[in-house]
Amino acid sequence: MSECHPAGEATHKNELKLQRDLPLIALAGQPNTGKSTLFNLLTGLNQHVGNWPGKTIERREGVFHDNGRSLRLIDLPGTYSLTANSPEELIAREFILREQPDLVIAVVSAANLERSLYLVAELISLPTPLVVALNMMDVAELEGYRIDVEVLQAALGIPVVPLVATRAQGVRELLRVVDQVIKGERVLMPRLPDIRADHQQALKAIQSLIQGFVPQPYPLEWTAMKLLEGDAELTRLMHKTLPPERWEAVHEVLRSHDDALMAVASGRYEWINRLMRAAVARPPVGQISLTERLDRWATHPVLGLGILALILGAVFWVTFTLGSPLQAWLESEVVERLASFAAATLAPAPAWLQSLVVDGVIGGVGAVITFIPILAIFFAAFGLLEDVGYMARAAYVMDNFMHLMGLHGKSFLPLFLGFGCNVPAVMGTRVIDSWSARLVTILIAPFIPCTARMVVVAFLAGAFFGQYATLVSWGLALLALIMLVISGVLLNALLFKGKRSAFIMEMPLYHLPNWRTIALLVWQRTLAFLKKAGTVILAFSVLIWLLSTLPGGDLESSFLAMFGRLVEPGGRWMGFDWRLTVALLASFLAKENAIATLGVVFGSGEEGGLSQILVATYSPAVALAFLTATMLFIPCAATLAVIKQEAASWRWALVNIALMLAISIGVSTLVYWLAKGLGG
Amino acid sequence: MLERLLFVLEGSQSLSVEELAARLQTTPALVQMMLEHLARQGRVEAVEFCEVGCEGCPLGSHCGAEKRPRLWQLKVRSRSEPR
């Protein structure tokens, strides 16, 4: 097919001059359809690489020999259409129109036929003869697509040649067809995309207005279509060329058909769809991809919600089956032993120092450090669900709730982030254009149970409810989401009154998890947690210890107790004593501080670990109310600071505090009295 | 076809690309193309997770935002209230 012509520069120029008389073929196609592979296959070393005049875009031209004659081949820049959206598209269409090649070969990917056919829809509307090289047939077959080439050819009205350019399969047949078309031995009857009847009248009106004024080499009908389509380049050209009154008349037609821009493209998509339906068979049911099969269940409006609830339940079950025993082991074998060791070691030291280390540091930070197994399981579970592609489906089925709240689709993106941490959830509301929708989303985002809150709940639920811990934690997570929806509905009615718009979601394919990614994520987040334990929580534990020790060293007469008794009446509705009330308030700085505070206040020692002491001190009704309050309590300080920053006012941060405080106290009080009434 | 797609977006029911393709009796790839086309025309917009929220976010480096889905919705022409 190709011949090598090693020659000097002068010889090369002479050759190029001679080549201008050869039949000219242009290769057109999208990037990555194998156009260059076919060009190299046909021309071999007999090619010249330069730039398109005035552009930095590569121009490749060559000569090949077939059936005893030479042909010139131009590799046009890869383009998706022929509308002047990019320099490549402009070069390709100007070349075809000005140079008028004898033939254009549209190289299309059989594995990605829809995309390739859009360009064909434009090429087929030009007067130059067109042949379709249906490349990558092997890839399409591997993916289970069956393309009926005969049907495609009949539907297009032009030759279609199946090809595997990488293996030179089908090239002979392509060259045979090229030869027939160039010699005029094959009649082409291209079937063009249609546009709606009312726009066809507009097209005809434009044609009659511009007739006689269209500069060479632009075809009249094509120019009229491009004007209707709103092509910037052609509009500029015709504005310059037409007499003002004619241009005004054209402009009037265009103005009265301002939706024609979409109608022209729409006609092309209809045309592609017809071709696809006629000529392409999708993989049979047995071969439908795993993603499609799983999504029939996972994205189902009802079943999907059931699956989501089950998965959430399973995450809690794994947490309590694996995490809680490890947490208990850390508490009894590490923290308690460390406390005993520290107490023994520091026996000769002043009592305050011993108390600071044992009750303050080990009691506070130690209690929080025992979270690590639970935390790691949460991170791994959510990391796994995200990595396999499930979390996108979870978010999608949750959209039914967004519907109830009348929120924009965009609102649900930040809410989805809230499961990790409420801070990025609030920051993520920046994607929402409407201020009121954004504000509603900011205000409800802290209801999403973040990892820190879930870990605190998991720790306490495990301690208080043993075998029922999974059910309790699962119920609390669902309760938080129900409160989110109720608040959203109310806030929407009060502030937003917006009409919700639909969205289309592109979901990632399901795939096997990458364990390294998940391990890295667990490691990074655990490290971040440890840093928090070593800084914020440590400092807070020491502060709580100071307040619980001063002024006289006795807890019941300490500053902390004084403060606790001051706020205790608020907690009493929910069955809390001053210690639980203070622990709940302490969670404002960081959710884990609730446990750190209880750790400092109750300590850990001979009477057992913190969880045992808590079970012995409080009834199940109080415990359930405390868990409910923790789940629904005001957001942490970091989240509130971000709310202030994003809402650009403390007013909305205070509204959020008031809203969540009212809901957490109200619901927890109800839970306490109901549980107490049931004998808890 | 583009008109029918816009009609669905103007409604209130959110769909996955696959569901929309089934509703329009076409392929997900063609739906994707049409959405991209409408986005170029400024009629719809693609919304990415954290597209602006990552800026200054403390979890930015390891929240896995790149693996999250992309949404398409009608473009809101103007903000009702500036920040």
Side-chain angles (χ1 to χ4, degrees), chain A residues 312 316 447 449 454 457 472-482 631:
Chain A
L312 199 60
F316 280 118
F447 279 106
M454 290 218 269
V457 166
V472 170
S473 306
W474 181 76
L476 286 168
L478 290 188
L479 176 72
L481 295 178
I482 291 168
M631 189 59 111

Side-chain angles (χ1 to χ4, degrees), chain A residues 218-237:
Chain A
Y218 299 108
L220 172 68
E221 196 173 333
W222 181 83
T223 307
M225 181 71 91
K226 282 288 165 195
L227 284 174
L228 202 59
E229 203 184 335
D231 185 283
E233 191 68 21
L234 258 297
T235 305
R236 203 163 32 242
L237 178 74

